[in-house]
Short mmCIF file of all heavy atoms in Angstrom, two decimals:
data_model
loop_
_atom_site.label_atom_id
_atom_site.label_comp_id
_atom_site.label_asym_id
_atom_site.label_seq_id
_atom_site.Cartn_x
_atom_site.Cartn_y
_atom_site.Cartn_z
N MET H 192 16.16 5.58 -7.93
CA MET H 192 15.59 5.27 -6.61
C MET H 192 15.32 6.55 -5.80
O MET H 192 14.22 6.63 -5.25
CB MET H 192 16.65 4.49 -5.80
CG MET H 192 16.86 3.10 -6.33
SD MET H 192 18.20 2.22 -5.37
CE MET H 192 18.17 0.57 -6.17
N ALA H 193 16.22 7.55 -5.88
CA ALA H 193 15.94 8.82 -5.29
C ALA H 193 14.74 9.53 -5.88
O ALA H 193 13.88 10.00 -5.16
CB ALA H 193 17.18 9.67 -5.31
N GLN H 194 14.69 9.62 -7.17
CA GLN H 194 13.60 10.32 -7.83
C GLN H 194 12.30 9.72 -7.59
O GLN H 194 11.28 10.35 -7.44
CB GLN H 194 13.87 10.33 -9.38
CG GLN H 194 12.88 11.23 -10.18
CD GLN H 194 13.00 12.68 -9.73
OE1 GLN H 194 14.11 13.24 -9.77
NE2 GLN H 194 11.95 13.27 -9.30
N THR H 195 12.25 8.39 -7.46
CA THR H 195 10.97 7.67 -7.17
C THR H 195 10.43 8.17 -5.85
O THR H 195 9.16 8.45 -5.73
CB THR H 195 11.26 6.15 -7.11
OG1 THR H 195 11.66 5.64 -8.40
CG2 THR H 195 9.95 5.44 -6.75
N PHE H 196 11.21 8.19 -4.84
CA PHE H 196 10.72 8.64 -3.53
C PHE H 196 10.40 10.14 -3.51
O PHE H 196 9.44 10.58 -2.80
CB PHE H 196 11.77 8.31 -2.40
CG PHE H 196 11.74 6.84 -2.09
CD1 PHE H 196 12.76 5.99 -2.56
CD2 PHE H 196 10.73 6.31 -1.26
CE1 PHE H 196 12.78 4.68 -2.21
CE2 PHE H 196 10.81 4.96 -0.91
CZ PHE H 196 11.80 4.12 -1.46
N LEU H 197 11.17 10.97 -4.28
CA LEU H 197 10.87 12.37 -4.37
C LEU H 197 9.45 12.53 -4.99
O LEU H 197 8.70 13.37 -4.46
CB LEU H 197 11.87 13.07 -5.19
CG LEU H 197 13.32 13.23 -4.53
CD1 LEU H 197 14.25 13.79 -5.62
CD2 LEU H 197 13.24 14.22 -3.39
N ASP H 198 9.25 11.83 -6.05
CA ASP H 198 7.93 11.94 -6.69
C ASP H 198 6.70 11.45 -5.86
O ASP H 198 5.59 11.89 -6.01
CB ASP H 198 7.90 11.09 -8.01
CG ASP H 198 8.82 11.64 -9.04
OD1 ASP H 198 9.27 12.91 -8.91
OD2 ASP H 198 9.16 10.96 -10.02
N LEU H 199 7.10 10.51 -4.91
CA LEU H 199 6.07 10.03 -3.96
C LEU H 199 5.88 10.89 -2.76
O LEU H 199 5.17 10.56 -1.78
CB LEU H 199 6.38 8.60 -3.61
CG LEU H 199 6.25 7.59 -4.76
CD1 LEU H 199 6.71 6.19 -4.28
CD2 LEU H 199 4.83 7.51 -5.30
N GLY H 200 6.60 12.02 -2.67
CA GLY H 200 6.46 13.04 -1.55
C GLY H 200 7.38 12.89 -0.43
O GLY H 200 7.11 13.41 0.66
N TYR H 201 8.57 12.23 -0.57
CA TYR H 201 9.53 12.08 0.53
C TYR H 201 10.78 12.91 0.24
O TYR H 201 11.18 13.02 -0.95
CB TYR H 201 9.92 10.62 0.65
CG TYR H 201 8.80 9.75 1.14
CD1 TYR H 201 7.89 9.18 0.32
CD2 TYR H 201 8.72 9.42 2.47
CE1 TYR H 201 6.83 8.37 0.75
CE2 TYR H 201 7.72 8.60 2.97
CZ TYR H 201 6.81 8.10 2.08
OH TYR H 201 5.79 7.29 2.59
N ASP H 202 11.40 13.53 1.28
CA ASP H 202 12.69 14.06 1.09
C ASP H 202 13.68 12.80 1.09
O ASP H 202 13.46 11.81 1.79
CB ASP H 202 12.95 14.94 2.36
CG ASP H 202 12.26 16.32 2.23
OD1 ASP H 202 11.79 16.64 1.12
OD2 ASP H 202 12.14 17.00 3.26
N VAL H 203 14.81 13.04 0.40
CA VAL H 203 15.76 11.93 0.20
C VAL H 203 17.15 12.40 0.55
O VAL H 203 17.62 13.47 0.14
CB VAL H 203 15.68 11.41 -1.25
CG1 VAL H 203 16.83 10.37 -1.47
CG2 VAL H 203 14.33 10.83 -1.59
N ASP H 204 17.93 11.59 1.31
CA ASP H 204 19.31 11.73 1.50
C ASP H 204 20.01 10.50 0.80
O ASP H 204 19.54 9.39 0.96
CB ASP H 204 19.71 11.71 2.95
CG ASP H 204 19.19 12.91 3.69
OD1 ASP H 204 19.18 14.01 3.14
OD2 ASP H 204 18.94 12.83 4.91
N ALA H 205 20.99 10.78 -0.07
CA ALA H 205 21.65 9.78 -0.78
C ALA H 205 23.13 9.75 -0.40
O ALA H 205 23.86 10.78 -0.39
CB ALA H 205 21.58 9.98 -2.30
N ILE H 206 23.64 8.54 0.08
CA ILE H 206 25.01 8.39 0.40
C ILE H 206 25.56 7.22 -0.45
O ILE H 206 24.80 6.46 -0.99
CB ILE H 206 25.23 8.04 1.85
CG1 ILE H 206 24.53 6.75 2.29
CG2 ILE H 206 24.69 9.26 2.78
CD1 ILE H 206 24.81 6.37 3.70
N HIS H 207 26.83 7.13 -0.51
CA HIS H 207 27.49 6.00 -1.20
C HIS H 207 27.40 4.79 -0.23
O HIS H 207 27.57 4.92 0.99
CB HIS H 207 28.95 6.27 -1.59
CG HIS H 207 29.53 5.36 -2.57
ND1 HIS H 207 29.92 4.12 -2.23
CD2 HIS H 207 29.71 5.40 -3.91
CE1 HIS H 207 30.34 3.45 -3.28
NE2 HIS H 207 30.18 4.28 -4.37
N CYS H 208 27.20 3.61 -0.75
CA CYS H 208 27.10 2.47 0.08
C CYS H 208 28.33 2.17 0.88
O CYS H 208 28.29 1.44 1.94
CB CYS H 208 26.70 1.23 -0.74
SG CYS H 208 27.82 0.73 -2.01
N GLU H 209 29.50 2.67 0.42
CA GLU H 209 30.75 2.48 1.15
C GLU H 209 31.00 3.55 2.17
O GLU H 209 32.06 3.56 2.84
CB GLU H 209 31.90 2.41 0.13
CG GLU H 209 31.87 1.20 -0.81
CD GLU H 209 33.03 1.13 -1.78
OE1 GLU H 209 33.95 2.05 -1.60
OE2 GLU H 209 33.04 0.32 -2.65
N ASN H 210 30.09 4.46 2.34
CA ASN H 210 30.20 5.54 3.32
C ASN H 210 29.93 4.88 4.70
O ASN H 210 28.76 4.59 5.01
CB ASN H 210 29.20 6.62 3.08
CG ASN H 210 29.32 7.83 3.99
OD1 ASN H 210 29.77 7.65 5.16
ND2 ASN H 210 28.81 8.92 3.56
N GLN H 211 31.03 4.70 5.53
CA GLN H 211 30.88 4.11 6.79
C GLN H 211 30.97 5.10 7.93
O GLN H 211 31.15 4.72 9.09
CB GLN H 211 31.97 2.99 6.99
CG GLN H 211 31.88 1.87 6.02
CD GLN H 211 30.62 1.04 6.24
OE1 GLN H 211 30.49 0.37 7.25
NE2 GLN H 211 29.62 1.17 5.32
N GLY H 212 30.96 6.40 7.54
CA GLY H 212 30.94 7.44 8.61
C GLY H 212 29.70 8.16 8.81
O GLY H 212 29.55 8.92 9.79
N PHE H 213 28.67 7.93 7.90
CA PHE H 213 27.37 8.64 8.04
C PHE H 213 26.61 8.20 9.23
O PHE H 213 26.51 6.97 9.49
CB PHE H 213 26.64 8.44 6.74
CG PHE H 213 25.21 8.98 6.89
CD1 PHE H 213 24.95 10.25 6.69
CD2 PHE H 213 24.14 8.08 7.11
CE1 PHE H 213 23.65 10.77 6.74
CE2 PHE H 213 22.85 8.55 7.21
CZ PHE H 213 22.57 9.92 6.99
N ILE H 214 26.15 9.14 10.01
CA ILE H 214 25.22 8.87 11.15
C ILE H 214 24.00 9.61 10.95
O ILE H 214 24.05 10.88 10.79
CB ILE H 214 25.89 9.23 12.51
CG1 ILE H 214 27.17 8.43 12.69
CG2 ILE H 214 24.89 9.00 13.65
CD1 ILE H 214 26.97 6.91 12.82
N PRO H 215 22.78 9.00 11.02
CA PRO H 215 21.57 9.70 10.80
C PRO H 215 21.29 10.77 11.85
O PRO H 215 21.57 10.62 13.02
CB PRO H 215 20.47 8.62 10.91
CG PRO H 215 21.28 7.38 10.60
CD PRO H 215 22.59 7.60 11.16
N TRP H 216 20.82 11.96 11.39
CA TRP H 216 20.41 13.01 12.35
C TRP H 216 18.95 13.34 12.21
O TRP H 216 18.46 14.36 12.85
CB TRP H 216 21.24 14.32 11.97
CG TRP H 216 20.92 14.94 10.63
CD1 TRP H 216 19.97 15.80 10.35
CD2 TRP H 216 21.54 14.70 9.44
NE1 TRP H 216 19.84 16.20 9.06
CE2 TRP H 216 20.90 15.44 8.41
CE3 TRP H 216 22.60 13.87 9.05
CZ2 TRP H 216 21.34 15.42 7.10
CZ3 TRP H 216 23.01 13.89 7.70
CH2 TRP H 216 22.38 14.62 6.76
N LYS H 217 18.28 12.46 11.57
CA LYS H 217 16.82 12.61 11.44
C LYS H 217 16.18 11.14 11.40
O LYS H 217 16.87 10.22 11.07
CB LYS H 217 16.42 13.39 10.16
CG LYS H 217 16.79 12.64 8.86
CD LYS H 217 16.39 13.43 7.66
CE LYS H 217 17.38 14.61 7.41
NZ LYS H 217 17.16 15.17 6.06
N PRO H 218 14.92 11.02 11.70
CA PRO H 218 14.31 9.71 11.62
C PRO H 218 13.96 9.43 10.19
O PRO H 218 13.38 10.21 9.46
CB PRO H 218 13.00 9.85 12.46
CG PRO H 218 12.73 11.37 12.41
CD PRO H 218 14.02 12.05 12.36
N TYR H 219 14.29 8.17 9.70
CA TYR H 219 14.05 7.78 8.35
C TYR H 219 12.85 6.85 8.32
O TYR H 219 12.75 5.90 9.16
CB TYR H 219 15.31 7.15 7.72
CG TYR H 219 16.35 8.10 7.45
CD1 TYR H 219 17.52 8.15 8.12
CD2 TYR H 219 16.16 8.99 6.32
CE1 TYR H 219 18.52 9.14 7.79
CE2 TYR H 219 17.14 9.91 6.02
CZ TYR H 219 18.33 9.92 6.69
OH TYR H 219 19.29 10.88 6.43
N ASP H 220 11.96 7.11 7.35
CA ASP H 220 10.80 6.14 7.21
C ASP H 220 11.15 5.02 6.37
O ASP H 220 10.53 3.93 6.48
CB ASP H 220 9.63 6.99 6.53
CG ASP H 220 9.20 8.12 7.40
OD1 ASP H 220 8.33 7.90 8.30
OD2 ASP H 220 9.72 9.22 7.26
N VAL H 221 12.15 5.23 5.46
CA VAL H 221 12.53 4.07 4.56
C VAL H 221 14.04 4.20 4.35
O VAL H 221 14.62 5.32 4.25
CB VAL H 221 11.90 4.16 3.16
CG1 VAL H 221 12.30 3.02 2.29
CG2 VAL H 221 10.39 4.23 3.26
N VAL H 222 14.74 3.08 4.40
CA VAL H 222 16.16 3.00 4.03
C VAL H 222 16.39 1.94 2.98
O VAL H 222 15.90 0.82 3.09
CB VAL H 222 17.05 2.61 5.34
CG1 VAL H 222 18.52 2.44 4.87
CG2 VAL H 222 16.95 3.77 6.36
N VAL H 223 17.05 2.33 1.95
CA VAL H 223 17.44 1.37 0.90
C VAL H 223 19.00 1.23 0.94
O VAL H 223 19.68 2.22 0.83
CB VAL H 223 17.02 1.83 -0.52
CG1 VAL H 223 17.44 0.86 -1.61
CG2 VAL H 223 15.50 2.11 -0.57
N ASP H 224 19.44 -0.06 0.95
CA ASP H 224 20.87 -0.24 1.11
C ASP H 224 21.27 -1.42 0.21
O ASP H 224 20.46 -2.20 -0.24
CB ASP H 224 21.26 -0.58 2.51
CG ASP H 224 22.75 -0.72 2.68
OD1 ASP H 224 23.57 0.00 2.06
OD2 ASP H 224 23.14 -1.63 3.52
N VAL H 225 22.63 -1.51 -0.20
CA VAL H 225 23.09 -2.59 -1.03
C VAL H 225 24.28 -3.33 -0.32
O VAL H 225 24.74 -4.33 -0.87
CB VAL H 225 23.57 -2.14 -2.39
CG1 VAL H 225 22.36 -1.56 -3.21
CG2 VAL H 225 24.69 -1.13 -2.32
N ARG H 226 24.74 -2.82 0.76
CA ARG H 226 25.88 -3.46 1.44
C ARG H 226 25.81 -3.55 2.96
O ARG H 226 25.10 -4.50 3.50
CB ARG H 226 27.25 -2.80 1.08
CG ARG H 226 27.72 -3.03 -0.39
CD ARG H 226 28.05 -4.49 -0.68
NE ARG H 226 28.58 -4.67 -1.97
CZ ARG H 226 27.85 -4.82 -3.04
NH1 ARG H 226 26.48 -4.79 -2.97
NH2 ARG H 226 28.42 -5.06 -4.31
N PHE H 227 26.40 -2.61 3.70
CA PHE H 227 26.53 -2.83 5.17
C PHE H 227 25.78 -1.79 5.99
O PHE H 227 25.73 -1.94 7.20
CB PHE H 227 28.06 -2.67 5.52
CG PHE H 227 28.99 -3.64 4.81
CD1 PHE H 227 29.58 -3.32 3.68
CD2 PHE H 227 29.05 -4.98 5.33
CE1 PHE H 227 30.39 -4.25 3.05
CE2 PHE H 227 29.89 -5.87 4.67
CZ PHE H 227 30.60 -5.52 3.51
N ASN H 228 25.13 -0.82 5.42
CA ASN H 228 24.55 0.24 6.17
C ASN H 228 23.26 -0.18 6.89
O ASN H 228 22.95 0.48 7.95
CB ASN H 228 24.39 1.51 5.39
CG ASN H 228 25.64 2.29 5.26
OD1 ASN H 228 26.47 2.24 6.17
ND2 ASN H 228 25.94 2.93 4.08
N LEU H 229 22.53 -1.14 6.41
CA LEU H 229 21.30 -1.58 7.19
C LEU H 229 21.71 -2.11 8.53
O LEU H 229 21.10 -1.78 9.57
CB LEU H 229 20.57 -2.60 6.39
CG LEU H 229 19.50 -2.16 5.37
CD1 LEU H 229 18.69 -3.32 4.81
CD2 LEU H 229 18.58 -1.12 5.96
N GLN H 230 22.75 -2.89 8.55
CA GLN H 230 23.11 -3.46 9.84
C GLN H 230 23.87 -2.46 10.71
O GLN H 230 23.71 -2.40 11.91
CB GLN H 230 24.01 -4.72 9.66
CG GLN H 230 25.35 -4.47 8.98
CD GLN H 230 26.03 -5.79 8.47
OE1 GLN H 230 25.59 -6.38 7.52
NE2 GLN H 230 27.00 -6.20 9.18
N ARG H 231 24.76 -1.59 10.00
CA ARG H 231 25.49 -0.60 10.81
C ARG H 231 24.60 0.41 11.47
O ARG H 231 24.89 0.88 12.53
CB ARG H 231 26.52 0.07 9.80
CG ARG H 231 27.44 1.01 10.54
CD ARG H 231 28.42 1.62 9.56
NE ARG H 231 27.81 2.54 8.66
CZ ARG H 231 27.56 3.84 8.96
NH1 ARG H 231 27.93 4.41 10.15
NH2 ARG H 231 27.07 4.69 7.97
N LEU H 232 23.57 0.80 10.76
CA LEU H 232 22.67 1.94 11.22
C LEU H 232 21.45 1.47 12.01
O LEU H 232 20.62 2.22 12.38
CB LEU H 232 22.23 2.77 10.08
CG LEU H 232 23.30 3.37 9.21
CD1 LEU H 232 22.68 4.17 8.09
CD2 LEU H 232 24.21 4.28 10.06
N LYS H 233 21.37 0.17 12.27
CA LYS H 233 20.18 -0.43 12.90
C LYS H 233 19.87 0.37 14.24
O LYS H 233 18.60 0.69 14.38
CB LYS H 233 20.45 -1.89 13.26
CG LYS H 233 19.26 -2.54 14.00
CD LYS H 233 19.57 -3.97 14.38
CE LYS H 233 18.38 -4.60 15.13
NZ LYS H 233 18.66 -5.96 15.57
#
């Protein structure tokens, strides 16, 4: 997933889906999630 976006010209930050302490410090154009971070970071 990360390599795909790198190849398409995007910088990528990768966190574990159980990371509940991460707070974005930059605007994200795309977010991919598998658990709770889409709703937490809305």
Side-chain angles (χ1 to χ4, degrees):
M192 290 176 179
Q194 188 63 55
T195 296
F196 284 103
L197 289 171
D198 292 344
L199 293 175
Y201 291 84
D202 287 342
V203 175
D204 291 329
I206 63 173
H207 197 283
C208 61
E209 294 179 6
N210 183 336
Q211 296 295 291
F213 172 79
I214 299 296
W216 65 89
K217 64 181 74 168
Y219 287 107
D220 297 273
V221 183
V222 174
V223 179
D224 183 38
V225 297
R226 285 298 184 274
F227 301 96
N228 278 325
L229 274 187
Q230 65 194 73
R231 185 179 71 85
L232 300 178
K233 179 184 177 182

